[in-house]
Each structure stands twice: as C-alpha cells, then as structure tokens.
C-alpha cells in the first residue's frame, strides 16, 4: 500500500463519516473544523457558566495507557460495518490493519519480525481516523448531565453541581462508565497517571470520598494541565500565565541573539520570527485563557514588550506604547483582544453562526473538496493571450470570436463585484438576467466576486452556462484542491457538470462585462444577497477595526515625544544598517543614553552647557554647544519631525552629525 492510496482512502472515509454525522461532536482531534480551538472554547463556556452560578466543578483527566498500540481493531471494523461502510473500502481497511509486523533497526542490523495483533500504526495518514472510530464508543453509555471532552487519547470529564457531594458522585459515575467502556474494547485506564481537580469560588477542604478507577483512587491536585493549559482551584489561571512567562525566557534570549548589530537590517523578518516563537506561546489557548483576560495581559505583556524593545534596539525604560508605535506593531492588549475576537468568530463559524442575528453571522465551510465532485471546466483562451488591463481592439475581437465559435449553445452570464465607500455589491448580467445585490460591509471584494460567480452558477438555466468574470483570483480558487471560501465551495459543489468559466480583463469594453460592472457598482443600494460573512473577511475586519482604534488612540495622544514625529501607527521604512536603526529608534522615542542616566534609578540628564534637560530634542535642535556642528551638516533651522521622520532627506546628514559629535555610540 503506497502513501497515495492511503490518502485517497482516508479522504473518502473521513468525508463519509463527517457527512453522515457518525463521529461525535465531542471528539476534537484529527478533524477538519475541530481542534484545540473548539475544545477550549466549549470547555471555557462550561467553566464560565459554572463560575457565574457559583457551582462546584469537578475535572477528571483520564489517562489511557498506550492507546494507539492497544486499539482493538476488530471493534473498529465492527463499528465501521455498523455505520454502513461496505465493499472495497472496508476490505482495504481490514487488509491494512491485519497481518502487520515490524522490525527494530540499529544501523545496518535488523531484529527479527514482531507481529502486531492490535493497534493502529502511528504515523500513517489513516491512523487518526481509525482511532476516532475506535474512541467513538466512549460517549454511548455516559450518565446524563456530564460534560466530556476527547482529544485523541485524552479524555476529560467535567461535572458541575450546586453541592460538593453531588458533583463528586456524578464524576464517579462518569469515570465508572468510561472504565466499563475501556474494558469492553481493550483499553486500560491508569489511575496513577490520571488527575482530578476541584474548582469553585468557596474555601473548603477537598475531603470526602475519592474518585476511583476500579480499586485505585485518582490523585487529587490543586492544579491540572489540560492540553497545555494549567488550571488552578479558583480558575484564576495565574499558574498557567506564570509558566508561559517562564517558557518564553529562552525564546526571548533567541530574539536578543538575532537582534545583535549586523551589516543588514530587517525588522519585519525579526518580528515575524518573534510572532512565530513567542506570540504563538503567549496566545495559545486564548479561547480559554480569556476567562482571565486582565490577569493574562498583566503577566504576559512584559514578555511581549520586552521583545518589541529588543528587536528595535530600544532601551528598557522606553514606554511600551511608544515602542510599539515606533515599530508599527500592535500593543499586546490589542493583540490579545484581536486574537480573542478572531477565535470567537471562528468558533461561531464552526458551530451555530447562522443562528445569530444578521450582523453577527459568520459563514465558514470546512472539509476538503468532495472526491465525487466533477472537474471544474476553465476556458483559458483569453487568459493565455492577454493580460489584466488590456483594452485593445484585438482583445475585444478575440472575445467575440471565441464566444461565437464555441459558445453559441451556451447561456452567457457576466459577473462582477464591487467594494467602495458606499458598500459592497455584486452584479450578474446575461440573457434576460439582471442582478444587483448588496453584501455585508465586512465582505471583501473577492467575496463579492465569489458571490456573483456562485449566484450566476446556481441560477436555473435551460442551456449550458458560460460564466465570464474579470476576477482571476476567483478562477484560480475554483481550481484549488481544497478551497476555503464558502461561496467558492458552493460553486464547486452545486455547479452543473457542463458549466464553463472564462476570464476576461476588466473594463475592456465587452458589453456584458460593462453591464455587470455597473450592476455591481449599484449593488450596495440593492437587496441583500446574504447576511452571512465569510470567516476570512471577519478575520480581516477585526484586524482593521482594532488597528483603526489604535490609530485613533495614538492620534489623540499628546504625552510622548514620538507623537511629534509620528502621527500614525503605520510602520515606517528601516535604515539599511541595524545599528543606525537602533540609534534612530531611540532618538524617536526620546529614551537614549545621551538623554537619560540608567545607573540605578533612571533619570533625565541635564545639559552641562545650557543647564536645560538633555532631551533628544534639545540635543539635536537647541543645544548651543553643537550649533556650529549643526550648521556644518546643514541641520540648522530644522524640526525634530523633519530630522527623524520617515524618509527624512536629512537622515544621512543626521547620522554623520552624531558620529562627528561623538554621540552615535552613546545613544
């Protein structure tokens, strides 16, 4: 069996299981649209509700010993057969799981063969799907009013109740149910490796009857780790945040190493590295840690601010908000807010988004393209000969000839999308067909194009349909193996088999295209096509909204020197040299070794010549001792903004001035 055949079978098997709703929604691993995000979001809802009601919460994390190796394959095959799987795919899976053996290799020496009588082979593409099938029985005989969360072989039981005793009895009943299921399918639960933790807002001793696995008590601890998130008894999550802060020390040291002065400078790449290795850790589990958002920002913000200063070469005393504005990246409180909002939108998109009010609806479609989908037909005649923006007579003649020669029997429909200050619109024109609709303001122009193509494809027709669009991105998305956009997926799924798609340049004088463009432009005042917003657009809208709020906040700031130099939060171009960039960044923020003394408690220096506070502005503009030198370099009668602004014409002269004044290496 080669890898390609395993992937094909796994894809078809997963689509069958998901389309039939055979896998329980409480399984969060190895599935499209599920993961730690859905796991944490659902668990957070349960814990928050219990906390608000003042109830007791019992959490039991069960450990299944060697789960993948002890999976009883006959039970998994029986379950697949009960779910209606038959024929060659069932025989393929059975042959894959039976008569397996392995060897141990050390260098060129191999051991004898060992047969595997149980288990699914870890590392194979189909192993995760088969393990989900084997684990699905854990939900069958659970007591009522029990919350259970399963991520691969991690089983978490959560019980909530008004009294301590009742909560523990429910937890014991649930654990006993899981033990009986495990015994029936060959799994073994380890009491010593399992953990229980009681969460509530009241102070009391955690006494009473223990929770047992057979004859062994499950250890009780004040903290419990769930998929990398550390809980404590009062759900403050402070132990988790402190652990994250500790884990980020080595990562912060790595940022210090790669931010040392070199010949070249590229802050964007270094910030990208920091986001990958530090932000990913700070924001992990934000769906759950948002329950203690204030504590998270309080403890984790110094880590974020630290690497912002490190990458920009700023001093530790530099105000965090000025450091972020100088670099053009969001402060941590807004990063955390944006991440929380994005994860919430993603969760709504994966669950009950369409049951929300129209303004909050989020539309998302998960899963690969169905293996039964027909091939999308793309006519590339125009695309192969002409480019975007072409408005030549040859183009128009070629389009007319192509339509007349190959599509006389087709119904031709032109589509277009529009995004302007008045809103988002889509248009479709064709034989006795005029459509002009609006879309929610959060939608992108690509979504408008995709919606127009989807609508034109799905409208009834008595003849084969030719869709003509000026959106190359929509055409490319239709040919994608796994399209993510919901209206593109809808087009692929519902398009009649003989539908053809063709690209033509926009504004090229083709009559149908001109009409579609006009209809899209007037779409914002037309009827609403859909209240759903694709998740990709919601994500970008959240980012734009947060960024706009930060920009407005900075525009109203009058306390920092940087505000005199930089009126927006947009990133500026960097100096080619990293050392020069560090000097310029320190001068912009007003915190440098020339203006401040950092021995012991930091304080502002005093100019020995003028007796005035040695601010950056005083040193560069007003200090009389350096006046002759400023004149020599042509820096007299300048402002702090003209000296340190983006693409300042005096930037090179400023660097030379600082070196001549012996200030460059003392900044």
């Amino acid at each position: 069996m080669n890898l390609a055949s395993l992937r094909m079978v796994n894809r078809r098997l997963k689509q069958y299981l998901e389309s039939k709703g055979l896998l329980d929604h409480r399984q969060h691993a190895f599935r499209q649209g599920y993961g730690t995000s859905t796991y944490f979001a659902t668990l957070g809802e349960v814990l928050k509700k219990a906390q608000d009601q003042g109830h007791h919460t019992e959490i039991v994390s069960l450990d299944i010993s060697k789960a993948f190796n002890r999976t009883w394959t006959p039970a998994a095959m029986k379950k697949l057969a009960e779910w209606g799987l038959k024929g060659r795919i069932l025989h393929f899976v059975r042959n894959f799981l039976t008569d397996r053996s392995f060897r141990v290799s050390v260098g060129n020496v191999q051991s004898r063969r060992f047969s595997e009588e149980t288990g699914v082979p870890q590392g194979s593409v189909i192993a995760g799907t088969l393990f989900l099938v084997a684990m699905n029985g854990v939900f069958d005989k659970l007591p009522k009013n029990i919350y259970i969360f399963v991520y691969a072989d991690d089983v978490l039981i959560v019980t909530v109740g008004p009294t301590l005793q009742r909560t523990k009895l429910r937890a014991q009943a649930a654990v006993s149910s899981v033990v009986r299921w495990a015994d029936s399918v060959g799994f073994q639960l380890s009491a010593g490796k399992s953990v229980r933790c009681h969460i509530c807002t009241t102070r009391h001793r955690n006494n009473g009857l223990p929770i047992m696995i057979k004859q062994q008590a499950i250890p009780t601890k004040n903290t419990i780790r769930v998929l990398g998130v550390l809980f404590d008894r009062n759900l403050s999550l402070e132990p988790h945040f402190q652990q994250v802060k500790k884990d980020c020390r080595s990562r912060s040291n790595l940022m210090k190493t790669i931010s040392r002065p070199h010949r070249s400078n590229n802050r964007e790449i270094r910030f990208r590295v920091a986001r990958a290795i530090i932000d990913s850790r700070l924001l992990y589990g934000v769906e759950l840690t948002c329950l203690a958002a204030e504590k998270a920002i309080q403890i984790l913000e110094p880590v974020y601010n630290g690497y912002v200063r490190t990458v920009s070469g700023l001093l530790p005393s530099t105000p965090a908000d000025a450091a972020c504005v100088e670099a053009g990246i969001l402060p941590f409180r807004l990063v955390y807010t944006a991440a929380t909002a994005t994860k919430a939108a993603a969760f709504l998109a994966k669950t009950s988004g369409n049951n929300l009010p129209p303004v909050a609806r989020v539309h998302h479609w998960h899963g690969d393209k169905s293996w039964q989908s027909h091939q999308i037909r793309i006519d590339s005649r125009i695309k192969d000969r002409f480019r975007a923006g072409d408005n030549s007579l040859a183009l128009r003649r070629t389009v007319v000839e192509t339509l007349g020669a190959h599509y006389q029997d087709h119904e031709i429909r032109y589509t277009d999308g529009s995004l302007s200050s008045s809103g988002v619109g889509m248009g479709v024109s064709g034989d006795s067909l005029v459509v002009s609709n609006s879309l929610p303001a959060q939608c992108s122009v690509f979504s408008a194009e995709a919606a127009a193509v989807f609508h034109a494809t799905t409208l009834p027709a008595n003849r084969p349909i030719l869709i003509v669009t000026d959106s190359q991105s929509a055409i490319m998305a239709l040919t994608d193996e796994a399209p993510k956009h919901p209206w593109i997926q809808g087009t692929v799924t519902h398009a009649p088999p003989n539908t053809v798609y063709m690209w033509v340049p926009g504004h090229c004088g083709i009559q149908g295209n001109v009409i579609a463009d006009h209809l899209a432009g007037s779409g914002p005042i037309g009827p609403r096509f859909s209240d759903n917003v694709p998740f990709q657009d919601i994500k970008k809208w959240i980012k734009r909204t947060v960024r706009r709020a930060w920009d407005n906040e900075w525009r109203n700031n009058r306390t920092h020197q940087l505000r005199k130099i930089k009126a927006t939060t947009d990133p500026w171009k960097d100096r080619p040299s990293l050392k020069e960039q560090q000097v310029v960044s320190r001068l912009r923020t007003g915190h440098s070794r020339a203006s401040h003394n950092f021995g012991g408690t930091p304080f502002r220096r005093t100019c020995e010549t003028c007796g005035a506070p040695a601010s950056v502005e005083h040193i560069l503009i007003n200090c009389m001792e350096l006046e002759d030198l400023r004149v020599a370099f042509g820096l007299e009668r300048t402002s702090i903004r003209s000296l340190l602004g983006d693409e300042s014409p005096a930037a090179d002269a400023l660097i030379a001035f600082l070196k001549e004044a012996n200030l460059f290496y003392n900044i």
Side-chain angles (χ1 to χ4, degrees):
M1 299 180 184
N2 55 35
L3 183 60
S5 61
L6 281 176
R7 284 178 174 170
M8 178 188 68
V9 172
N10 184 55
R11 179 180 177 183
R12 297 188 181 188
L13 179 59
K14 288 174 66 176
Q15 287 187 354
Y16 177 83
L17 298 177
E18 296 289 0
S19 63
K20 300 290 184 181
L22 299 173
L23 295 177
D24 195 281
H25 68 278
R26 291 167 287 187
Q27 292 209 66
H28 298 269
F30 311 130
R31 302 175 67 183
Q32 283 281 353
Y34 292 82
T36 56
S37 294
T38 55
Y39 185 102
F40 286 142
T42 311
L43 178 59
E45 282 189 334
V46 174
L47 297 178
K48 184 65 167 63
K49 183 178 179 181
Q51 187 182 51
D52 292 342
Q53 294 177 346
H55 285 178
H56 297 268
T57 303
E58 195 75 29
I59 298 180
V60 183
S61 177
L62 299 176
D63 179 81
I64 302 178
S65 302
K66 301 178 181 179
F68 279 82
N69 295 333
R70 290 180 175 173
T71 301
W72 192 32
T73 53
M77 295 303 303
K78 180 181 178 182
K79 180 66 72 174
L80 289 174
E82 290 175 353
W83 285 345
L85 205 70
K86 55 186 178 180
R88 294 179 179 177
I89 189 170
L90 189 63
H91 292 308
F92 184 98
V93 175
R94 182 181 291 110
N95 293 334
F96 176 74
L97 293 176
T98 55
D99 298 329
R100 298 193 65 87
S101 61
F102 66 93
R103 289 179 175 178
V104 177
S105 296
V106 179
N108 296 326
V109 181
Q110 292 185 339
S111 70
R112 65 179 178 85
R113 287 184 178 273
F114 296 88
S115 61
E116 283 186 309
E117 298 180 358
T118 61
V120 292
Q122 297 186 55
S124 63
V125 294
I126 201 173
T129 305
L130 296 177
F131 187 74
L132 292 179
V133 174
M135 287 290 295
N136 210 67
V138 71
F139 309 100
D140 292 344
K141 297 182 180 180
L142 282 173
K144 295 181 179 180
N145 301 321
I146 297 295
Y147 300 101
I148 184 170
F149 303 86
V150 178
Y151 193 91
D153 59 342
D154 292 321
V155 179
L156 188 74
I157 292 174
V158 180
T159 57
V160 178
T163 64
L164 179 63
Q165 190 68 15
R166 187 176 177 182
T167 306
K168 288 185 178 180
L169 289 175
R170 284 183 177 178
Q172 180 63 72
V175 170
S176 299
S177 174
V178 174
V179 171
R180 288 192 296 270
W181 164 79
D183 291 340
S184 68
V185 295
F187 285 130
Q188 181 178 346
L189 295 177
S190 172
K193 294 183 179 179
S194 300
V195 181
R196 58 171 288 215
C197 179
H198 187 82
I199 296 177
C200 66
T201 56
T202 59
R203 289 179 173 270
H204 60 79
R205 292 185 177 181
N206 199 6
N207 295 329
L209 295 175
I211 297 178
M212 311 287 289
I213 294 180
K214 296 181 179 179
Q215 303 301 320
Q216 295 182 333
I218 298 176
T220 301
K221 295 186 177 181
N222 291 328
T223 59
I224 183 172
R225 188 177 298 276
V226 178
L227 297 186
V229 176
L230 198 62
F231 292 92
D232 55 318
R233 287 197 69 234
N234 58 4
L235 206 60
S236 70
L237 295 174
E238 183 170 352
H240 171 71
F241 299 137
Q242 294 293 351
Q243 183 62 46
V244 170
K245 186 176 182 178
K246 182 179 179 181
D247 293 343
C248 287
R249 289 176 184 170
S250 60
R251 308 180 189 207
S252 299
N253 290 335
L254 175 61
M255 295 310 305
K256 291 179 181 179
T257 300
I258 66 175
S259 298
R260 289 173 181 168
H262 298 289
R263 293 182 179 178
S264 61
N265 175 42
N266 194 323
R267 278 198 294 182
E268 182 182 354
I269 291 180
R270 296 200 300 278
F271 275 125
R272 195 180 304 170
V273 173
R275 283 192 290 268
I277 67 175
I278 298 181
D279 284 11
S280 59
R281 186 69 182 100
L282 297 178
L283 300 177
Y284 175 73
V286 69
E287 305 89 348
L288 193 55
T289 61
C290 65
L291 297 177
E294 292 183 3
K295 183 71 69 174
I297 294 173
Q298 176 187 348
I299 297 176
L300 301 181
E301 190 173 36
V303 178
Y304 182 90
N305 295 336
Y307 87 67
V308 171
R309 296 187 183 101
T310 297
V311 170
S312 298
L314 299 175
L315 297 172
S317 65
T318 306
D321 50 353
C324 290
V325 171
E326 199 280 328
I329 68 170
L330 287 170
F332 183 71
R333 54 187 172 81
L334 295 181
V335 170
Y336 196 87
T337 301
T340 303
T342 301
K343 294 294 185 180
F347 180 67
L348 295 176
K350 296 170 183 176
T351 53
S352 58
N354 291 336
N355 296 325
L356 297 170
V359 70
R361 288 181 184 167
V362 185
H363 192 32
H364 199 32
W365 193 333
H366 292 278
D368 297 329
K369 185 188 298 184
S370 174
W371 59 275
Q372 294 177 318
S373 299
H374 59 268
Q375 188 70 25
I376 294 295
R377 299 174 58 188
I378 306 295
D379 188 331
S380 302
R381 291 184 180 91
I382 306 301
K383 180 178 179 297
D384 293 341
R385 292 187 56 185
F386 302 94
R387 295 184 177 182
D390 196 320
N391 191 25
S392 63
L393 180 62
L395 166 66
R396 292 191 289 273
R397 184 184 299 114
T398 303
V399 172
V400 172
E401 291 175 354
T402 301
L403 298 181
H406 301 280
Y407 298 104
Q408 288 184 348
D409 298 331
H410 284 66
E411 181 174 332
I412 303 175
R413 296 174 175 176
Y414 296 86
T415 69
D416 203 357
S418 171
L419 174 63
S420 63
S421 57
S422 58
V424 185
M426 51 162 278
V428 180
S429 68
D431 300 338
S432 66
L433 181 63
V434 177
V435 176
S436 180
N437 293 132
S438 63
L439 291 166
Q442 295 84 359
C443 288
S444 64
V445 66
F446 174 77
S447 291
E449 301 274 7
V453 171
F454 170 71
H455 194 46
T457 300
T458 54
L459 286 173
N462 298 323
R463 296 180 293 165
I465 302 173
L466 170 67
I467 305 295
V468 181
T469 177
D470 62 1
S471 174
Q472 286 197 40
S473 56
I475 294 291
M476 293 176 62
L478 289 172
T479 60
D480 194 346
E481 187 64 27
K484 300 297 184 182
H485 198 282
W487 284 317
I488 294 296
Q489 288 191 339
T491 302
V492 172
T493 303
H494 301 291
N498 51 7
T499 304
V500 183
Y501 299 87
M502 176 188 288
W503 173 82
V504 297
H507 309 288
C508 62
I510 303 299
Q511 185 62 23
N513 197 25
V514 172
I515 297 174
D517 180 68
H518 176 73
L519 292 172
S522 59
I525 62 174
R528 182 60 57 89
F529 170 70
S530 174
D531 286 321
N532 292 329
V533 181
F535 173 66
Q536 299 98 313
D537 296 341
I538 283 289
K539 187 176 180 180
K540 294 177 181 177
W541 174 78
I542 291 173
K543 185 176 180 179
R544 289 196 305 270
T545 302
V546 171
R547 189 93 192 187
R548 193 181 303 117
W550 181 41
D551 197 67
N552 291 335
E553 179 184 303
W554 179 249
R555 289 178 186 276
N556 295 325
N557 190 301
R558 293 293 184 270
T559 60
H560 293 293
Q561 172 192 289
L562 181 61
R563 179 61 183 81
K564 300 178 182 179
I565 304 168
K566 192 175 184 183
T568 70
T569 59
D570 297 332
W572 279 356
K573 292 183 180 180
D574 292 336
R575 297 285 301 174
S577 166
L578 191 147
K579 179 59 181 177
E580 290 183 6
Q581 180 60 51
Q582 289 180 345
V583 170
V584 171
S585 296
R586 291 180 182 183
L587 293 175
R588 286 171 176 170
T589 57
H591 281 249
S592 68
R593 291 190 178 93
S595 59
H596 288 74
N597 188 309
F598 295 99
T601 303
F603 63 90
R604 186 179 295 279
R605 294 178 183 272
T606 301
C607 180
E608 296 179 358
T609 302
C610 309
S615 65
V616 168
E617 187 171 5
H618 175 79
I619 295 172
L620 299 182
I621 306 295
N622 301 321
C623 183
M624 299 303 298
E625 183 180 3
L626 301 173
E627 180 65 24
D628 293 340
L629 201 56
R630 281 194 292 270
V631 172
F633 284 94
L635 300 180
E636 75 279 11
R637 296 187 300 276
T638 58
S639 66
I640 190 70
R641 185 167 188 171
S642 63
L643 278 179
L644 299 173
D646 191 27
E647 298 182 349
S648 170
D652 293 335
L654 174 64
I655 297 297
F657 162 77
L658 293 173
K659 290 180 178 179
E660 185 66 25
N662 294 323
L663 291 173
F664 184 79
Y665 294 99
N666 294 319
I667 295 295

